[in-house]
Amino acid sequence: MERCVLFAGKEYPDGSEFAIAATKYNRAAVITVATMPEDREDGCISENIYPAKWSRNSPLSARSVILQAENACGAFQEAVIIFDTNWYSGDFEELTPSVCSKAIDTMITSYTHLVGEIVARFKKKGSGTIIFVLKKATGDEANGGFSKPVGVLPGMAEGAFRGLAESMATTFGQDESMKIVLAKADYGTTDNQFASWLFEVLDAPNSILGKYDAKKGPQWFKMGAKTGKSSFFNPFQKK
């Protein structure tokens, strides 16, 4: 494998379709896990897919994820940070102090710590791509979309993730050492569809993903209906 990509935010096995898709596009994959799976002699979850334990309530664990990823495949050139709102919807239904505190640690603070560590590592290396992947809780209402109730806390955290991604794009959009990509899909899109489209477009010649326009500001690129090579002429729509 020529490249390595780190996936964080949708732990294995639930986020496995992203990692599997990456291996089909000539990448080794490291994916975060809440609990390390049973060890294999080669340290893999499966061929070219490696685990990295992430304790979301620990800032030190964010740095450990970086080290685990580098130990697994030498270095990673891409980091895909996933926020799937519906994936969180069943975990934080009550608005009690303890649930609110856990929700903030899990869905907001942990992302900030990890992104900070990734930025520091990429700046030290002089290059890297951070891809913020948002799977929204709603469809596109303008196109007859739909929504699914996800609760107050996951809905709030979705907004925080969007804010983190857009702030990153604004801050580092013209930084030559980093590329920031913002990609989104509506509720109902499968991880395999999203990941396959994402890597096809990232690898396409002259891809515009991550090219920052200071006049327009942060731009989210929405997964198009087509994911094949022919979709490169119109692979996404902006909104």
Side-chain angles (χ1 to χ4, degrees):
M1 292 289 170
E2 295 182 358
R3 284 180 283 178
C4 179
V5 55
L6 169 65
F7 292 95
K10 191 170 185 178
E11 272 72 77
Y12 179 87
D14 294 334
S16 60
E17 289 187 13
F18 280 97
I20 292 169
T23 65
K24 296 177 180 179
Y25 288 87
N26 203 33
R27 290 162 168 84
V30 177
I31 185 169
T32 54
V33 297
T35 304
M36 290 295 282
E38 293 184 7
D39 290 338
R40 288 178 45 175
E41 292 183 3
D42 57 5
C44 293
I45 294 174
S46 59
E47 186 176 2
N48 292 315
I49 299 177
Y50 304 86
K53 185 177 179 181
W54 186 23
S55 299
R56 295 200 185 207
N57 60 351
S58 168
L60 293 177
S61 185
R63 181 167 299 179
S64 175
V65 168
I66 306 302
L67 297 175
Q68 290 174 75
E70 292 182 336
N71 287 336
C73 55
F76 60 96
Q77 298 77 33
E78 298 166 324
V80 178
I81 313 301
I82 305 166
F83 193 95
D84 184 341
T85 310
N86 288 284
W87 186 60
Y88 290 112
S89 63
D91 295 333
F92 306 103
E93 296 180 347
E94 299 178 3
L95 292 176
T96 62
S98 61
V99 173
C100 289
S101 179
K102 183 179 179 181
I104 291 170
D105 283 344
T106 301
M107 297 188 290
I108 299 176
T109 307
S110 62
Y111 282 94
T112 307
H113 288 315
L114 185 58
V115 169
E117 293 291 343
I118 293 169
V119 167
R121 188 53 53 101
F122 282 171
K123 287 187 74 68
K124 184 176 180 180
K125 290 169 49 181
S127 64
T129 300
I130 304 177
I131 303 126
F132 290 91
V133 166
L134 174 60
K135 291 188 68 177
K136 302 192 302 175
T138 62
D140 186 347
E141 294 181 2
N143 293 320
F146 50 87
S147 63
K148 177 183 177 181
V150 293
V152 173
L153 295 174
M156 175 190 71
E158 179 185 298
F161 180 82
R162 181 186 289 269
L164 172 63
E166 292 176 358
S167 295
M168 285 289 298
T170 300
T171 302
F172 296 104
Q174 295 176 302
D175 190 324
E176 294 183 358
S177 66
M178 262 183 294
K179 180 186 290 185
I180 308 295
V181 175
L182 312 183
K184 67 180 181 179
D186 287 339
Y187 167 69
T189 304
T190 69
D191 288 352
N192 181 60
Q193 290 172 329
F194 201 171
S196 297
W197 167 83
L198 178 65
F199 288 115
E200 282 195 14
V201 179
L202 283 171
D203 290 350
N206 302 316
S207 172
I208 67 172
L209 290 188
K211 293 184 179 180
Y212 183 73
D213 187 331
K215 293 182 179 179
K216 295 181 179 178
Q219 298 290 301
W220 286 91
F221 294 96
K222 184 176 179 181
M223 197 198 92
K226 296 181 180 180
T227 59
K229 292 183 179 180
S230 62
S231 67
F232 291 144
F233 295 101
N234 186 20
F236 41 70
Q237 62 189 62
K238 292 186 237 181
K239 182 180 178 182

